[in-house]
Amino acid sequence: MTQPTNPHSHPKGWIPLDRYRPNGTTLEAATDFYNTIKKRRTIRSFSDKPVPKEVIEQVLLAAGTAPSGAHKQPWRFIAISNPEMKHTIRVAVEEVERDFYDDKASNRWLDDLEPFETNPDKSYIDTVPWLIIVMALRTTDDGGQVYYLNESVGIAAGMLLTAAHQAGLATLTHTPSPMKFLKEILNRPENERPYMMIPLGYPSDNCHVPNLTRKPLNQISTFIQ
Ligand code: IYR
């Protein structure tokens, strides 16, 4: 669209696109970003080094720029640094995870997780300076319809991880199942559904990660030219 057919169709009108233009060529910008983002790793060993609230605010503002169905912005981010609240959540999460490892998980699932040495111990929740709970809004706060909820919140969560990485911080995407206990502990309104927990901070000094490889381009893409 160049100009809107009806300049009043949007309640706040239409404005010319404020286009982002990278320094350097398009290819240089695309390559630079790939070289940054390819260093993103999920970690499970965090430093207790504090991260100022102002940093978290910028990361959440970045996440909040995600596209969403009919621009309903169906997300809320609960940012927790309070040690007692983090501990309460840790205790509840560990109970859910013990049930997963001891009971619910299939052998195949446990076999698939073995290389990552995960277990029900989530002590990093006590250590990490921030725990971000991503909530998906089933309705808008005034009860209105939302669209493409999972897609919208998933993109916002991805952008949150990207923004944190860009700031030199590390994250873990954690989805204990079920996550309903978070709603109760945090006393959240009816329209919010816990979507993901994201511990966020600096890696510990001796943080190790599995030596993963990523699929090459020809396995993740097909070009039709
Ligand atoms: N939620 C559990 C188990 C777990 C499941 C998957 I799939 C992972 O990629 C990693 C862990 C836990 O956090 O330990």
Side-chain angles (χ1 to χ4, degrees):
M1 174 151 349
T2 50
Q3 308 253 323
T5 315
N6 170 7
H8 303 294
S9 57
H10 190 273
K12 292 194 173 153
W14 290 68
I15 53 170
L17 173 66
D18 180 14
R19 191 175 153 190
Y20 168 67
R21 291 178 188 275
N23 298 318
T25 66
T26 306
L27 178 57
E28 282 163 353
T31 307
D32 281 354
F33 184 71
Y34 170 54
N35 284 328
T36 300
I37 201 65
K38 75 181 181 191
K39 290 194 160 182
R40 188 209 57 80
R41 290 298 310 260
T42 291
I43 66 159
R44 291 185 169 77
S45 176
F46 288 89
S47 158
D48 62 1
K49 181 179 170 177
V51 174
K53 182 183 178 192
E54 290 72 23
V55 173
I56 303 303
E57 288 173 342
Q58 297 307 306
V59 168
L60 299 184
L61 283 167
T65 67
S68 59
H71 192 55
K72 296 294 182 179
Q73 306 173 81
W75 45 66
R76 186 133 48 232
F77 308 103
I78 320 283
I80 304 166
S81 64
N82 178 279
E84 290 77 34
M85 181 55 85
K86 280 191 297 149
H87 189 70
T88 303
I89 292 174
R90 172 194 167 179
V91 170
V93 167
E94 287 184 336
E95 194 179 316
V96 170
E97 294 293 13
R98 266 194 306 274
D99 197 35
F100 170 80
Y101 284 95
D102 295 348
D103 218 32
K104 288 215 180 107
S106 63
N107 285 334
R108 182 192 288 196
W109 196 342
L110 293 176
D111 286 349
D112 277 340
L113 286 178
E114 206 167 288
F116 303 98
E117 295 194 17
T118 59
N119 60 52
D121 173 5
K122 304 301 176 193
S123 46
Y124 53 73
I125 296 176
D126 280 331
T127 315
V128 76
W130 291 95
L131 179 62
I132 316 289
I133 314 289
V134 181
M135 295 289 193
L137 306 193
R138 276 191 287 244
T139 65
T140 62
D141 287 328
D142 45 20
Q145 177 84 41
V146 304
Y147 308 92
Y148 296 99
L149 179 55
N150 280 313
E151 293 85 346
S152 303
V153 184
I155 296 168
M159 290 175 62
L160 194 164
L161 305 181
T162 307
H165 176 74
Q166 168 73 21
L169 296 162
T171 52
L172 165 61
T173 40
H174 187 191
T175 52
S177 175
M179 260 194 296
K180 269 212 332 249
F181 66 91
L182 284 173
K183 243 183 112 137
E184 284 136 35
I185 292 174
L186 296 166
N187 194 19
R188 300 307 304 175
E190 199 40 52
N191 68 329
E192 291 184 6
R193 167 169 65 85
Y195 180 87
M196 187 175 280
M197 299 177 55
I198 306 182
L200 192 164
Y202 293 99
S204 68
D205 282 340
N206 201 21
C207 182
H208 280 61
V209 292
N211 185 16
L212 304 182
T213 52
R214 289 178 169 133
K215 289 182 181 177
L217 186 59
N218 66 4
Q219 277 177 35
I220 62 167
S221 62
T222 299
F223 287 81
I224 301 171
Q225 290 184 290

